[in-house]
Amino acid sequence: MNIILTFTLLMIPGAVTSIIVTGYSGGGVIISCKYEKQYKTNVKYFCRGQWSTCSDLIRTDMKDKLVQKEKVYLYDNTRAAVFILIIRHLKKQDTDKYYCGIYRPVALDSKTEVHLKVREGDQIRTVRGYSGGSVIINSKYEHEHKWKLKYFLRTETLRQYSEQISTKKVEEWQHNGRFSIHDNRSADLLQVFITELDVEDSGDYTVVFKVSEDYSFFSELNLVVNDDGCCENIIRLAATSEESVNVSCRYPQSHRSDRKFLCRRSGTYKCSQIASVNESRRWTLERQFHLYGDREDQLLTVSISNVTQHNSGEYWCGVESDQQYMIFITQVQLTVTGTNNLIPSPSSSFFSSITTPLITETCRSNITSVSPLSSDWSLIISLSVVLVLIFVGLLLLIVALYKRRQTQVFHRR
């Protein structure tokens, strides 16, 4: 189905003579110009400047077919008696007066005045994902668009779409297969979540904000899904309560400078972030979770101390790029069972393991290593050994002093 037909159904205004349109640099706008049905066969055009000197940007007599000239598209939907204009790749210099025109041979042309203002915009150009993983795309918007309807479309040069999903008045996740959308109105943030990525998901996508029946503005992005085998899709771990678990997640070299994070999936479309690390070769501690990033080896190492059955669940290792999108690369399935009955050994404590980076040959191959003891046992044993040594030292000192006193008494006699 043609994407223009979709917009036609969404944007059929009443008769107007003037439209005020706001777009953002790098993005585009969709303008709807209504006309009387008696002009279905007339030539339609779009021009720029004052009416007396208006210069054509596009002009066509084609019906029910998308026509393109440079960055301007025109689609004349004769069934709805409306022609749709799409302007892409906006620049601030595009701010000006325009006209939707209908050529009439024996009378003055019918026209609709369009005032276009282009604001500075921060557009997402390319989003990268990895086969088997997921991605969240964040799109900030101005507060005035809080209650506007929003769409996410997969497009092919604005002609076709294979996925469409839109927000609703209620602030809840909306779903269409692997595609989900959420309008966080308190943060003025639109979020799109795509799960179980596949290389076939690669392509152009459009985020559309429907401002009124007269126009919408949109931003475009390109999704690139790689399947280069750099990273494991899933790691399964099994541990016993009170043990410490270490796991290493590999990430592509292109994300060396991005922030790394660990999150826990708490719902179908929610992954609650636990901790993150920005700097290389430095530990980040968050409760029982310890993160260590190594840009040289492209590894994120995660250590979880004193695990319990409550720690069982699905975790994700990922990277975040400039706060605009988050990539979920490796799924970690952790299962914790039973109680640890092993005899404590101070040499295998968790704290002894974090004094040096956990970048071992085991971690490099993404194989789990499980420490047999908790840090609490190690601390108790260490304190006990110290107390015993102090007691023995005091005892030896007392014996030495007693013998010395006995010797002094003997010499006096």
Side-chain angles (χ1 to χ4, degrees):
M1 183 184 294
N2 198 297
I3 192 173
I4 305 302
L5 294 177
T6 303
F7 287 127
T8 299
L9 296 175
L10 297 174
M11 302 178 61
I12 301 180
V16 294
T17 57
S18 181
I19 304 173
I20 298 175
V21 176
T22 300
Y24 296 85
S25 59
V29 291
I30 304 161
I31 306 167
S32 182
C33 298
K34 185 78 174 178
Y35 60 83
E36 296 179 11
K37 290 190 176 181
Q38 66 190 66
Y39 299 124
K40 288 196 299 183
T41 60
N42 291 54
V43 171
K44 312 299 188 303
Y45 61 89
F46 187 63
C47 64
R48 178 176 182 173
Q50 296 297 326
W51 178 244
S52 58
T53 57
C54 203
S55 176
D56 284 358
L57 298 178
I58 191 169
R59 177 183 289 258
T60 183
D61 60 357
M62 299 289 291
K63 309 302 173 190
D64 304 307
K65 185 176 181 180
L66 187 67
V67 180
Q68 176 189 359
K69 185 177 180 182
E70 298 178 350
K71 64 178 185 178
V72 181
Y73 297 74
L74 190 153
Y75 181 86
D76 186 5
N77 187 334
T78 56
R79 180 183 300 178
V82 61
F83 69 94
I84 306 294
L85 288 155
I86 301 173
I87 310 174
R88 301 174 67 192
H89 311 308
L90 287 173
K91 300 178 180 178
K92 290 206 69 177
Q93 298 91 313
D94 292 323
T95 298
D96 207 344
K97 182 184 291 186
Y98 298 81
Y99 286 92
C100 298
I102 301 173
Y103 174 70
R104 296 190 293 185
V106 294
L108 292 175
D109 290 357
S110 175
K111 62 182 184 295
T112 299
E113 189 175 274
V114 178
H115 296 270
L116 174 62
K117 181 179 181 181
V118 181
R119 298 177 181 174
E120 285 290 348
D122 186 16
Q123 305 291 328
I124 305 173
R125 296 300 183 187
T126 302
V127 174
R128 297 191 180 278
Y130 297 89
S131 182
S134 304
V135 64
I136 287 182
I137 303 167
N138 295 317
S139 182
K140 288 286 291 182
Y141 57 82
E142 294 185 341
H143 188 70
E144 62 189 274
H145 304 306
K146 177 177 179 178
W147 294 103
K148 305 303 182 183
L149 196 61
K150 293 131 186 132
Y151 296 85
F152 185 73
L153 309 170
R154 179 170 182 174
T155 64
E156 296 177 2
T157 62
L158 288 177
R159 293 170 183 263
Q160 304 287 334
Y161 73 93
S162 58
E163 298 286 347
Q164 178 177 339
I165 191 167
S166 63
T167 60
K168 294 184 178 180
K169 292 296 183 183
V170 292
E171 195 169 325
E172 297 176 353
W173 281 96
Q174 306 299 321
H175 315 295
N176 181 5
R178 296 178 297 108
F179 290 74
S180 303
I181 193 169
H182 178 250
D183 191 1
N184 186 346
R185 297 187 177 99
S186 59
D188 298 332
L189 179 68
L190 182 69
Q191 294 180 296
V192 177
F193 190 21
I194 310 174
T195 61
E196 300 175 19
L197 288 169
D198 187 88
V199 290
E200 294 184 357
D201 292 324
S202 297
D204 296 324
Y205 291 80
T206 306
V207 181
V208 183
F209 294 75
K210 183 181 177 183
V211 179
S212 70
E213 297 298 326
D214 301 324
Y215 88 95
S216 299
F217 68 86
F218 62 87
S219 61
E220 299 178 76
L221 62 93
N222 179 253
L223 175 63
V224 179
V225 180
N226 294 318
D227 188 16
D228 51 15
C230 79
C231 319
E232 289 196 45
N233 290 336
I234 184 169
I235 300 175
R236 292 183 172 87
L237 311 178
T240 306
S241 291
E242 299 182 357
E243 291 181 339
S244 295
V245 175
N246 304 327
V247 63
S248 203
C249 302
R250 189 172 294 279
Y251 56 85
Q253 186 176 7
S254 57
H255 297 292
R256 287 183 60 186
S257 59
D258 291 335
R259 189 173 67 88
K260 318 303 181 300
F261 67 84
L262 175 75
C263 69
R264 180 173 182 175
R265 194 163 184 173
S266 55
T268 307
Y269 301 96
K270 185 177 180 181
C271 197
S272 302
Q273 192 165 136
I274 296 172
S276 64
V277 60
N278 239 341
E279 300 181 48
S280 183
R281 298 188 174 179
R282 176 172 294 187
W283 285 98
T284 295
L285 310 180
E286 184 66 36
R287 300 186 301 278
Q288 67 187 122
F289 294 87
H290 305 68
L291 270 63
Y292 182 89
D294 190 328
R295 295 181 181 177
E296 197 68 27
D297 291 318
Q298 294 143 49
L299 286 172
L300 171 66
T301 298
V302 178
S303 294
I304 313 174
S305 61
N306 300 325
V307 296
T308 67
Q309 290 181 324
H310 293 294
N311 294 124
S312 296
E314 179 181 324
Y315 298 80
W316 281 88
C317 298
V319 297
E320 184 171 0
S321 176
D322 301 329
Q323 304 296 318
Q324 291 186 306
Y325 67 94
M326 300 175 69
I327 308 169
F328 303 84
I329 299 175
T330 301
Q331 181 187 150
V332 180
Q333 287 281 1
L334 174 61
T335 303
V336 181
T337 57
T339 303
N340 188 1
N341 295 318
L342 297 177
I343 300 175
S345 169
S347 63
S348 60
S349 70
F350 172 71
F351 284 101
S352 66
S353 70
I354 68 170
T355 56
T356 56
L358 295 174
I359 308 302
T360 62
E361 289 304 316
T362 301
C363 290
R364 291 179 193 279
S365 59
N366 285 331
I367 300 176
T368 308
S369 63
V370 180
S371 176
L373 296 173
S374 70
S375 58
D376 290 339
W377 274 110
S378 173
L379 185 59
I380 292 170
I381 292 173
S382 298
L383 289 174
S384 300
V385 171
V386 171
L387 290 173
V388 169
L389 291 174
I390 292 172
F391 177 77
V392 172
L394 289 173
L395 187 60
L396 291 174
L397 180 61
I398 292 170
V399 171
L401 291 174
Y402 176 78
K403 287 184 176 181
R404 181 178 178 183
R405 182 177 180 82
Q406 291 291 82
T407 302
Q408 289 175 348
V409 171
F410 177 78
H411 286 303
R412 285 175 185 173
R413 291 178 179 177

